């Protein structure tokens, strides 16, 4: 209710005027309006209805007069509460006026009072459904209400109902589709309501079933969901609609990604993978001019490669070329801003400054929350020496209600920036903060991060911790260590590899909950040997699954616990088919449910006797968790970064057992650890002791090494 305002003078004026001219009905309209604005709603309604009751055959004319008076008053006032009060009365007297309901919707958005109850009271959906489709509605008002509502859309089925009710009344259906698609992108990517985005796009596909952009958006948001929601079919539809090599490449990339996520690397996957390589080469032979949306999609078109095979020289050459193409187009698209950032970097290089002052180091990341990167990066930031490093934290698309990990990041520095998905805005903030060294932690997993780094808002730019180095030429350094990359790796990277003396990652430990898994649940023998493999579906390579089952064959009384996000039917079928072909009973394969939290997941690792790592893409966070829980681990070492994570972690806790350089050694170590209980106990004891001394758990020492590397980067920059 609007605060009571003294309209006594107006009320008295109209009472006097009516006494002198009782037949002038316009005075009654204004008198009722004054009563209404004085919070005398019943009296106002009574005044208007009393006059309308005498209208007889002139009722339509008189109602039109009253409507005009009220709508004019609502439109002319700058007081949103008064406008809402007037329009609520219009709805009472003229409930069929859709334009008035649209104004009420806009007012509720402005006043931040929008709710399910509000939408129910407005009855806008019912009004739109009842109104004849060919009726002339104010198109500008209708589209404005659509835009503003979707910008704050309630994550509820009523949103789809409302948009569906509006859809027939919009004359320009292409414009309607463009508006809804743009807002669906925000709803899905920024607000993380992928289901709602999928449902909105489904409405648009009714009008435009052959629209490639809509099909791609449909596919991408369906892939966001863990469950099988028809994402593969959506990606295939997009591919069938593609008319250019670039569109074929990006839609085929979605097909590859979909199968990888499900854990499916079979003949069908191989067909898509081979086609992806051909399409990548075709695009590189005649590089297209890209808009930002195309650059975003193309950036991730090579991300599947390290999951398929350990061929860093071939794969990174392809990735580097694709990324360079995207980088050039991003810089060209933002040429003015890019040139300005580079000019500022040159000025900074020539400034006279105290060489011993703390360096301003910015950390840019999308995943500063309960995510692998979020779990691990916090220990470096926590242990930075403020006399050496002044840290700035740039959280891309921060959570509306931060989880406890994101809350920790917000407490690690007074300079924490919550950044929307706006690369220019983020880059401008970084430049205004006068950052000396910008460190990205996302690699190709976040296109906005890549766009920011391509703009080079900081004179020194570094990749650390994420998926692997991006291949962006605007990034100067990639943080590694003596083990995670072979000595020959520099030829594969445009970034300069900086090898820290011991490890490229260190943590102080992990939060561990109460276990929910116990051997008794599975009716296993007390002396059974339990192997475990716990990885997401895209790390499930068929060749390694076969090696794991070979270990099971050779270790009597052993079982394999299988866990990880993927299409469970796909994973189970793949393991069962392999087991059948090898003569193994399905009873020796135990598929574990997904648990409620990472803390419980870590606690449940204690049930395993031996952890079996994946290849060609090793575990990273999962390996750290296994070592923290003092579990022996078998890993297959390769050449690419992703195939050497577990190797460097084992080396940095002083464990050599379980490091295999060939497939045969992987099986041998699995069998040895499965049959030698004393060796398992010895490794567990070594891992327990290592928590006090090992570089992997010494985050403070790791921070000193990073600070030394930063100082050397800065000195080199100033010297040049």
């Amino acid at each position: 209710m609007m605060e009571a305002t003294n309209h006594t003078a107006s009320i008295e004026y109209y009472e006097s005027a009516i006494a002198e001219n009782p037949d002038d009905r316009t005075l009654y309209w204004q008198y009722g309006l004054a009563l209404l604005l004085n919070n005398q709603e019943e009296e106002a309604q009574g005044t208007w209805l009393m006059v309308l009751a005498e209208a007889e055959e002139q009722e339509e004319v008189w109602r039109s007069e009253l409507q005009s008076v009220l709508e004019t008053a609502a439109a002319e006032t700058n007081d949103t509460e008064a406008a809402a009060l007037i329009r609520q009365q219009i709805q009472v007297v003229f409930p069929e006026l859709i334009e008035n309901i649209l104004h009420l919707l806009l007012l509720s958005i402005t006043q931040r009072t929008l709710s399910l109850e509000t939408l129910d009271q407005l009855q806008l959906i019912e009004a739109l459904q009842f109104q004849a489709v060919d009726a002339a509605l104010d198109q500008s008002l209708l589209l404005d209400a659509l835009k503003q509502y979707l910008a704050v859309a309630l994550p509820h089925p009523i949103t789809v109902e409302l948009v569906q009710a509006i859809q027939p009344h919009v004359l320009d259906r292409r414009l309607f589709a463009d508006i809804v698609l743009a807002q669906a992108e925000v709803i899905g990517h920024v607000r993380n309501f992928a289901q709602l985005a999928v449902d909105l796009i489904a409405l648009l596909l009714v009008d435009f079933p052959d629209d490639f952009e809509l099909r791609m958006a449909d596919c991408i948001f369906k892939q966001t969901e863990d469950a099988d929601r028809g994402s593969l079919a959506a990606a295939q539809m997009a591919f069938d609609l593609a008319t250019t090599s670039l569109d074929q490449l990006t839609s085929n990339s979605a097909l590859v990604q979909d199968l990888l996520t499900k854990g499916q690397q079979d003949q069908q996957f191989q067909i898509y993978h081979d086609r992806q390589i051909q399409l990548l080469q075709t695009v590189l032979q005649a590089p297209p001019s890209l808009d930002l949306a195309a650059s975003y999609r193309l950036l991730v078109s090579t991300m599947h490669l390290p999951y398929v095979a350990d061929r860093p020289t071939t794969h990174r050459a392809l990735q580097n070329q694709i990324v360079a193409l995207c980088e050039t187009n991003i810089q060209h698209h933002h040429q003015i801003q890019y040139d300005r950032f580079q000019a500022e970097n040159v000025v900074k290089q020539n400034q006279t400054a105290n060489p011993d002052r703390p360096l301003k180091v910015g950390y840019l990341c999308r995943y500063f929350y309960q995510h692998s990167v979020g779990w691990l990066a916090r220990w470096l930031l926590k242990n930075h020496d403020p006399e050496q490093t002044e840290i700035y934290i740039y959280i891309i698309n921060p959570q509306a209600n931060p989880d406890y990990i994101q809350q920790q990041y917000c407490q690690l520095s007074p300079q924490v920036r919550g950044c929307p998905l706006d690369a220019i805005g983020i880059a401008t903030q970084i430049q205004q903060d006068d950052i000396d060294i910008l460190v990205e932690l996302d690699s190709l997993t976040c296109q906005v991060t890549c766009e920011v780094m391509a703009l080079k808002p900081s004179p020194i730019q570094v990749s650390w911790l994420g998926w692997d180095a991006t291949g962006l030429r605007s990034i100067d350094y990639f943080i590694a260590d003596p083990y995670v990359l072979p000595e020959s790796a520099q030829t594969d990277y445009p970034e300069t590899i900086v090898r820290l003396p011991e490890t490229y990652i260190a943590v102080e430990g992990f939060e561990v909950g109460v276990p929910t898994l116990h051997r008794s649940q599975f009716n296993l023998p007390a002396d059974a040997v339990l192997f475990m493999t716990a990885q997401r579906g895209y790390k499930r390579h068929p060749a390694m699954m076969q090696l794991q089952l070979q270990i099971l064959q050779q270790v009597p009384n052993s079982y394999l616990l299988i866990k990880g996000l993927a299409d469970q039917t796909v994973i189970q079928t793949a393991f069962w088919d392999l087991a059948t072909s090898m003569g193994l009973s399905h009873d020796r394969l135990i598929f574990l449910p997904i648990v409620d939290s990472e803390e419980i997941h870590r606690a449940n690792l204690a049930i395993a006797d031996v952890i079996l790592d994946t290849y060609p893409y090793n575990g990273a966070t999962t390996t750290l968790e296994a070592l923290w829980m003092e579990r022996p681990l078998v890993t297959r070492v390769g050449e690419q970064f992703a195939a050497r994570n577990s190797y460097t972690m084992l080396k940095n806790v002083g464990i050599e057992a379980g490091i295999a350089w060939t497939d045969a050694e992987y099986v041998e170590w699995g069998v040895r650890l499965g049959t030698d209980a004393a060796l398992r106990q010895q490794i567990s004891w070594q891992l327990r002791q290592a928590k006090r001394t090992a570089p992997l758990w010494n985050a403070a020492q790791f921070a000193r090494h990073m600070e030394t590397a930063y100082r050397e980067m800065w000195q080199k920059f100033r010297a040049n």
Side-chain angles (χ1 to χ4, degrees):
M1 177 65 69
M2 182 182 65
E3 290 186 10
T5 304
N6 190 354
H7 291 272
T8 304
S10 296
I11 292 171
E12 291 176 351
Y13 168 79
Y14 286 114
E15 286 177 344
S16 177
I18 289 170
E20 294 181 8
N21 299 284
D23 296 329
D24 186 350
R25 61 182 177 274
T26 61
L27 294 174
Y28 293 91
W29 308 149
Q30 297 292 346
Y31 176 54
L33 178 59
L35 290 170
L36 176 65
L37 295 176
N38 204 48
N39 285 338
Q40 296 176 253
E41 296 179 36
E42 293 184 4
E43 291 87 342
Q45 292 176 11
T47 299
W48 297 327
L49 294 175
M50 176 190 68
V51 177
L52 291 174
E54 300 175 0
E56 297 179 354
E57 64 272 9
Q58 295 294 313
E59 182 177 0
E60 288 302 315
V61 176
W62 290 18
R63 286 171 62 84
S64 179
E65 289 177 355
L66 174 59
Q67 176 184 337
S68 177
V69 168
L70 295 179
E71 286 184 337
T72 299
E76 291 180 350
T77 182
N78 293 322
D79 185 338
T80 58
E81 291 191 26
L85 185 62
I86 295 169
R87 292 201 174 276
Q88 287 164 4
Q89 292 306 307
I90 295 175
Q91 187 178 19
V92 171
V93 182
F94 308 101
E96 72 282 1
L97 295 179
I98 291 180
E99 285 90 346
N100 181 66
I101 305 176
L102 291 171
H103 279 296
L104 280 169
L105 175 64
L106 289 169
L107 284 166
S108 72
I109 295 170
T110 300
Q111 295 176 316
R112 299 184 178 181
T113 59
L114 180 66
S115 65
L116 290 174
E117 183 180 3
T118 302
L119 288 176
D120 183 60
Q121 292 172 347
L122 290 177
Q123 296 188 319
L124 176 58
I125 295 172
E126 294 82 356
L128 287 164
Q129 292 171 338
F130 180 78
Q131 181 86 12
V133 171
D134 60 352
L137 283 177
D138 184 334
Q139 293 292 295
S140 177
L141 173 63
L142 188 64
L143 292 175
D144 186 37
L146 176 66
K147 285 182 192 176
Q148 291 200 40
Y149 174 77
L150 287 176
V152 296
L154 301 173
H156 186 275
I158 199 169
T159 290
V160 180
E161 294 176 24
L162 176 58
V163 175
Q164 190 173 25
I166 291 173
Q167 189 171 16
H169 296 280
V170 178
L171 302 180
D172 188 338
R173 301 298 272 273
R174 183 72 258 178
L175 178 58
F176 172 84
D178 290 344
I179 290 172
V180 175
L181 177 58
Q183 293 298 331
E185 297 278 358
V186 176
I187 289 169
H189 290 308
V190 179
R191 300 181 64 199
N192 298 319
F193 299 133
Q195 173 64 57
L196 180 54
V198 167
D199 292 341
L200 290 172
I201 291 169
L203 298 180
L204 307 182
L205 287 170
V206 173
D207 286 335
F208 303 101
D210 298 330
D211 187 289
F212 176 78
E213 293 298 325
L214 286 177
R215 289 294 178 188
M216 278 301 299
D218 183 44
C219 162
I220 290 168
F221 287 121
K222 283 179 176 175
Q223 286 183 342
T224 303
E225 301 294 310
D226 290 330
D228 183 1
R229 296 184 37 79
S231 53
L232 185 64
Q236 184 62 59
M237 288 181 187
F239 182 83
D240 292 341
L241 290 169
T243 57
T244 67
S245 295
L246 180 61
D247 286 348
Q248 288 179 332
L249 173 60
T250 56
S251 53
N252 192 73
S253 182
L255 286 167
V256 170
Q257 179 66 30
D258 191 273
L259 292 182
L260 266 182
T261 301
K262 289 179 169 64
Q264 186 172 340
Q265 290 198 44
D266 54 9
Q267 291 181 346
Q268 183 183 19
F269 173 83
Q270 193 62 45
I271 291 171
Y272 294 153
H273 166 67
D274 293 345
R275 187 167 65 189
Q276 187 75 353
I277 299 298
Q278 294 172 0
L279 288 166
L280 285 165
Q281 293 168 344
T282 299
V283 167
L284 288 172
Q285 287 169 3
S289 178
L290 307 173
D291 59 20
L292 281 179
S295 295
Y296 268 33
R297 289 178 186 161
L298 191 57
L299 273 170
V300 299
S301 62
T302 61
M303 283 190 64
H304 71 289
L305 295 177
Y307 299 99
V308 178
D310 181 26
R311 299 172 189 155
T313 298
T314 301
H315 288 168
R316 284 212 60 90
L318 197 55
Q319 177 185 321
N320 293 341
Q321 292 177 74
I322 290 293
V323 169
L325 173 61
C326 297
E327 182 177 23
T328 298
N329 279 276
I330 289 170
Q331 291 168 351
H332 177 73
H333 186 85
H334 298 304
Q335 193 68 56
I336 294 175
Q337 295 94 333
Y338 174 71
D339 290 343
R340 177 166 58 84
F341 292 139
Q342 305 330 299
E344 290 292 337
N345 289 339
V346 172
V347 169
K348 185 158 189 170
Q349 189 172 31
N350 295 319
Q351 288 175 341
T352 301
N354 178 5
D356 297 323
R357 68 171 175 82
L359 292 175
K360 287 187 174 184
V361 178
Y363 289 93
L364 174 68
C365 186
R366 169 73 178 85
Y367 304 107
F368 283 143
Y369 55 81
Q370 291 186 65
H371 176 278
S372 290
V373 172
W375 289 111
L376 306 184
R378 54 187 170 148
W379 302 114
L380 170 62
L381 277 62
K382 173 188 173 185
N383 282 281
H384 267 312
D385 180 356
E387 294 186 2
Q388 293 291 321
T389 309
E390 181 182 357
I391 66 171
Y392 289 69
I393 301 175
Y394 300 92
I395 304 176
I396 298 177
N397 195 30
Q399 297 173 333
N401 297 301
D403 63 32
Y404 80 93
I405 294 294
Q406 191 155 107
Q407 290 175 19
Q408 288 182 26
Y409 280 100
C410 291
Q411 296 168 3
L412 289 174
S413 168
Q415 292 86 220
V416 178
R417 317 292 193 214
C419 304
L421 292 170
D422 171 19
I424 292 297
I426 297 171
T428 299
Q429 180 65 63
I430 290 167
Q431 191 271 322
Q432 290 175 350
D433 287 337
D434 197 26
I435 296 300
D436 299 316
I437 299 175
L438 179 63
V439 184
E440 69 85 14
L441 295 85
D442 295 331
S443 188
L444 298 181
T445 65
C446 180
Q447 293 100 318
V448 171
T449 298
C450 291
E451 188 178 357
V452 172
M453 301 304 282
L455 295 172
K456 204 171 176 73
S458 176
I460 302 171
Q461 300 198 149
V462 180
S463 281
W464 171 61
L465 187 59
W467 176 83
D468 194 349
T470 63
L472 288 165
R473 295 162 297 177
S474 51
I475 296 181
D476 305 286
Y477 300 101
F478 177 42
I479 301 296
D481 61 34
Y483 312 105
V484 78
L485 286 173
E487 293 183 5
S488 60
Q490 183 60 74
T491 57
D492 299 331
Y493 290 87
E495 305 93 338
T496 297
I497 297 173
V498 173
R499 295 182 188 268
L500 302 185
E502 294 172 320
T503 176
Y504 84 96
I505 177 63
V507 301
E508 292 182 359
F510 293 95
E511 295 85 350
V512 179
V514 177
T516 59
L517 293 182
H518 306 280
R519 292 185 176 224
S520 59
Q521 295 172 237
F522 306 107
N523 296 318
L524 299 175
D527 59 347
V529 176
L530 300 187
F531 294 96
M532 178 185 283
T533 172
Q535 295 290 358
R536 288 178 177 266
Y538 41 74
K539 295 185 181 182
R540 297 286 184 196
H541 196 282
M544 290 307 293
M545 293 162 62
Q546 188 167 28
L547 295 183
Q548 290 167 353
L549 295 189
Q550 286 179 23
I551 294 171
L552 212 62
Q553 275 184 320
Q554 299 180 44
V555 178
N557 194 29
S558 65
Y559 297 80
L560 180 62
L561 308 178
I562 303 162
K563 177 179 179 291
L565 291 173
D567 185 315
Q568 296 304 309
T569 300
V570 169
I571 295 298
Q572 288 182 12
T573 300
F575 269 106
W576 283 337
D577 286 350
L578 274 173
T580 299
S581 68
M582 298 169 66
L584 275 171
S585 169
H586 292 186
D587 292 342
R588 297 180 67 184
L589 305 178
I590 301 173
F591 297 91
L592 302 178
I594 302 301
V595 295
D596 293 335
S597 70
E598 291 89 347
E599 293 87 349
I600 295 175
H601 157 72
R602 294 175 195 131
N604 285 341
L605 292 176
I607 195 176
D609 294 300
V610 181
I611 305 294
L612 298 179
D613 197 12
T614 48
Y615 172 87
Y617 205 111
N618 292 168
T621 305
T622 51
T623 295
L624 284 167
E625 291 169 333
L627 298 178
W628 184 254
M629 295 303 297
E630 302 164 10
R631 299 297 88 194
L633 179 135
V634 181
T635 188
R636 166 73 161 87
V637 187
E639 294 297 308
Q640 65 185 1
F641 177 85
R644 299 172 71 93
N645 265 302
S646 296
Y647 169 52
T648 190
M649 292 168 186
L650 282 169
K651 294 290 287 185
N652 277 287
V653 288
I655 300 293
E656 297 289 338
I659 298 175
W661 294 91
T662 65
D663 291 351
E665 286 185 13
Y666 183 89
V667 175
E668 289 170 6
W669 271 118
V671 173
R672 183 176 173 188
L673 287 169
T675 55
D676 191 338
L679 178 58
R680 296 197 302 268
Q681 292 174 357
Q682 178 187 343
I683 293 171
S684 295
W685 181 86
Q686 288 176 314
L687 289 172
R688 187 174 304 118
Q689 298 303 309
K691 289 179 180 178
R692 293 183 286 181
T693 59
L696 194 64
W697 312 126
N698 193 339
Q701 179 175 274
F702 171 68
R704 303 294 81 76
H705 291 160
M706 285 287 274
E707 288 161 358
T708 298
Y710 291 157
R711 185 63 61 182
E712 290 174 355
M713 295 173 193
W714 179 250
Q715 291 170 350
K716 183 176 180 180
F717 167 72
R718 293 303 301 273
N720 288 338

